[in-house]
């Protein structure tokens, strides 16, 4: 049985075709730099099959032609001989609002609900919805499922998801914390339980997804009970270019100094975080390089990030009434021993007995055998989790 996983970004399209029984990836690919004009323009195409990578430039003017190219590529490369072989498609959908707390078979009602949520995720949902419509048209007999980034966090209790704003704003506009990266937090928390050889239903886990976007999640007994991203993916930790949390009065202070709403939106989304703090780069590798050369701007950015991670892990341990394991994932979490050290060295109070030698040698477990809390690295695999969700839904 073959399951296709599709992740449509504002100007990109990623896909993976799985053999659902063996969980192997038969073929995967990315289209980057898709123009939104519909006019033919060049976009970077990368196709990986059987350890062979083909990169080239292709002319696709929009997501519709990228999907057409993707389906044709599956056939030309021999990954399918007929489109009917695709038993299901799992679509990554950024925002499911309050309505969707689980993987959902897409029908007309779901499509119109997703359209409403597009207001909450303006960058991703409209493109995602368009891609679902195209694939429903192109694969008429295939079941299509929505797997929401927000779904895993729908188990948060009211005291965690409500802001200290008038309750009427929540009722009227749905202003509350939703949380994102849910598929990743779910995948790595399940994997952590597997690595520990314990039942997730008895564990208190903090998962740190640290990449260009960053969020932390408190996973108590397998359910998200709090997370650092909020109404939008801006809240929480400083990220590559996003500010993370700050005092909202700063917005009005800046407006008083002549900044427009558009300028502030750009600052907090595109000019802040690691980039804004360091003035060097949003890319953590560049920050690390500069830090090793002693650059005080890079050191400052790293210290702010580590501080926020430490504070969040501590808060979530308190919120869950204990902690069994801390998991690092995402491009930075998986690859930066320096950041992991800067965080874990400061969490002795929580019962973390950090072992920097293991950390530097890229071991999975980062703590000593007598450590009360186990810290570990778990590479995330959102596509695999999406495939598993679609497979589970398909088999009822
Ligand atoms: P992601 O959004 O998960 O792809 O993560 C992107 C971030 O991970 C960027 O800031 C990268 O610089 C960082 N990253 C990826 N590989 C490494 C590495 N080997 N060392 C340090 N940071 C890395």
């Amino acid at each position: 049985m073959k399951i296709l996983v599709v992740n449509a970004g504002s100007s990109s399209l990623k896909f993976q075709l799985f053999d659902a029984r063996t969980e192997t990836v038969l073929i995967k690919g990315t289209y980057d730099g898709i123009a939104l004009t519909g006019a033919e323009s060049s976009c970077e195409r990368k196709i990986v099959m059987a350890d062979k990578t083909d990169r080239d430039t292709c002319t696709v003017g929009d997501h519709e032609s990228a999907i057409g190219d993707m389906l044709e590529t599956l056939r030309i490369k021999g990954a399918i001989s007929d489109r009917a072989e695709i038993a299901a498609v799992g679509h990554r959908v950024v925002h499911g609002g309050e309505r969707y707390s689980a993987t959902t078979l897409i029908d007309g009602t779901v499509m119109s609900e997703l359209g409403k949520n597009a207001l909450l995720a303006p960058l991703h949902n409209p493109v995602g919805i368009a891609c679902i419509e195209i694939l429903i048209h192109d694969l008429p007999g295939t079941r299509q499922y929505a797997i929401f980034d927000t779904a895993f966090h729908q188990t948060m209790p009211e005291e965690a998801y409500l802001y200290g704003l008038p309750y009427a704003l929540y009722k009227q506009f749905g202003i509350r914390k939703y949380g994102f990266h849910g598929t990743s937090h779910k995948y790595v928390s399940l994997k952590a339980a597997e690595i520990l050889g314990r039942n997730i239903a008895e564990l208190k886990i903090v998962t740190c997804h640290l990449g260009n976007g960053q969020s932390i999640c408190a996973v108590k007994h397998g359910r998200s009970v709090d997370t650092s991203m909020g109404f939008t993916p801006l809240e929480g930790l400083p990220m590559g270019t996003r500010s993370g949390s700050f005092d909202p009065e700063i917005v009005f202070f800046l407006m008083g100094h002549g900044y427009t709403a558009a300028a502030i939106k750009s600052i907090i989304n595109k000019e802040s975080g690691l980039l804004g703090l360091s003035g060097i780069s949003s890319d953590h590798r560049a920050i690390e390089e500069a830090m090793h050369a002693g650059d005080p701007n890079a050191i400052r950015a790293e210290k702010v990030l580590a501080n926020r991670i430490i504070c969040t892990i501590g808060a979530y341990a308190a919120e869950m009434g204990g902690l069994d394991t801390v998991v690092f994932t995402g491009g930075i979490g998986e690859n930066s021993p320096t950041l992991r050290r800067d965080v874990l060295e400061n969490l002795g109070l929580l019962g973390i007995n950090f072992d920097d030698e293991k950390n530097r040698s890229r071991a999975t477990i980062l703590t000593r055998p007598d450590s009360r809390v186990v810290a570990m690295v778990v590479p995330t695999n959102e596509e695999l989790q999406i495939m598993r969700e679609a497979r589970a839904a398909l088999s009822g």
Side-chain angles (χ1 to χ4, degrees):
M1 182 170 70
K2 291 172 184 170
I3 294 182
L4 179 65
V5 172
V6 174
N7 182 353
S10 51
S11 62
S12 67
L13 179 78
K14 294 184 198 162
F15 71 90
Q16 292 196 10
L17 182 73
F18 284 87
D19 177 327
R21 195 178 52 81
T22 59
E23 299 196 335
T24 46
V25 178
L26 301 172
I27 184 169
K28 64 181 178 180
T30 341
Y31 295 80
D32 251 324
I34 301 173
L36 302 172
T37 56
E40 285 216 338
S41 60
S42 61
C43 114
E44 301 299 317
R45 177 173 54 186
K46 179 178 152 192
I47 305 291
V48 183
M49 192 175 184
D51 290 335
K52 186 171 170 293
T53 304
D54 293 323
R55 288 173 201 271
D56 62 2
T57 303
C58 66
T59 50
V60 297
D62 53 18
H63 282 80
E64 182 166 7
S65 46
I67 287 173
D69 190 90
M70 169 189 78
L71 292 173
E72 200 44 25
T73 302
L74 297 183
R75 196 187 57 76
I76 292 168
K77 295 275 187 187
I80 55 169
S81 48
D82 188 293
R83 290 180 181 186
E85 281 173 37
I86 302 172
V89 182
H91 294 269
R92 177 190 173 216
V93 182
V94 176
H95 217 309
E98 281 195 317
R99 190 175 175 120
Y100 298 109
S101 55
T103 296
T104 302
L105 179 65
I106 300 170
D107 59 16
T109 316
V110 174
M111 286 306 283
S112 85
E113 280 295 322
L114 291 182
K116 287 183 203 160
N117 284 333
L119 297 173
L120 294 177
L123 209 56
H124 287 296
N125 265 10
V127 167
I129 292 165
C131 288
I132 294 169
E133 275 170 351
I134 297 158
L135 274 156
I136 287 174
H137 176 266
D138 289 355
L139 302 172
T142 302
R143 291 189 156 227
Q144 316 249 349
Y145 295 97
I147 290 92
F148 301 95
D149 266 16
T150 49
F152 184 56
H153 302 299
Q154 279 297 305
T155 46
M156 279 190 289
E158 192 180 56
E159 60 269 28
Y161 72 67
L162 281 181
Y163 294 117
L165 290 166
Y167 190 65
L169 292 178
Y170 162 62
K171 295 308 277 181
Q172 190 178 355
F173 298 115
I175 293 177
R176 51 159 283 179
K177 179 184 275 196
Y178 289 97
F180 298 87
H181 291 143
T183 308
S184 176
H185 289 297
K186 182 172 182 179
Y187 175 81
V188 299
S189 58
L190 285 165
K191 192 80 191 169
E194 194 184 310
I195 290 167
L196 292 174
R198 292 183 60 189
N199 187 342
I200 195 163
E202 62 189 32
L203 290 172
K204 293 168 181 165
I205 307 175
V206 171
T207 49
C208 306
H209 180 111
L210 310 174
N212 272 326
Q214 321 219 52
S215 71
I216 301 189
C217 183
V219 186
K220 187 176 183 181
H221 307 156
R223 294 152 69 87
S224 168
V225 293
D226 206 346
T227 191
S228 58
M229 281 180 170
F231 181 60
T232 72
L234 186 75
E235 192 183 344
L237 307 172
M239 310 182 205
T241 62
R242 278 172 263 170
S243 62
S245 299
F246 63 92
D247 183 343
E249 277 291 344
I250 293 166
V251 172
F252 308 108
F253 176 87
L254 289 174
M255 283 178 149
H257 282 77
Y259 285 76
T260 62
I264 297 170
K265 195 172 175 64
S266 169
I267 290 172
I268 63 180
N269 279 290
K270 298 184 181 149
E271 300 161 43
S272 296
L274 290 177
L275 174 65
L277 282 161
S278 69
I280 297 170
S281 173
S282 64
D283 191 303
H284 192 260
R285 274 167 293 204
I287 302 288
E288 269 194 49
E289 245 174 67
M291 266 199 324
H292 292 142
D295 187 320
N297 297 311
I299 294 168
R300 176 200 313 126
E302 182 85 350
K303 277 187 165 174
V304 173
L305 174 59
N307 170 278
R308 298 304 188 274
I309 298 170
I310 291 164
C311 292
T312 310
I313 295 173
Y316 288 175
E319 200 172 3
M320 291 192 288
L323 182 64
D324 295 296
T325 183
V326 176
V327 183
F328 287 85
T329 195
I332 302 173
E334 291 167 29
N335 295 300
S336 176
T338 310
L339 180 70
R340 294 195 302 254
R341 182 205 59 206
D342 291 347
V343 171
L344 292 171
E345 262 186 359
N346 292 291
L347 290 174
L349 176 76
L350 294 182
I352 291 179
N353 191 349
F354 175 58
D355 185 337
D356 198 28
E357 224 167 275
K358 284 187 188 165
N359 178 42
R360 302 244 152 235
S361 67
R362 299 185 177 268
T364 298
I365 305 290
L366 311 171
T367 39
R368 296 182 203 284
D370 65 348
S371 186
R372 197 159 45 75
V373 173
V374 177
M376 65 172 85
V377 178
V378 177
T380 194
N381 193 337
E382 290 166 273
E383 289 77 14
L384 177 56
Q385 187 62 32
I386 291 172
M387 189 286 288
R388 286 176 175 171
E389 300 277 340
R391 184 181 60 191
L394 191 61
S395 61

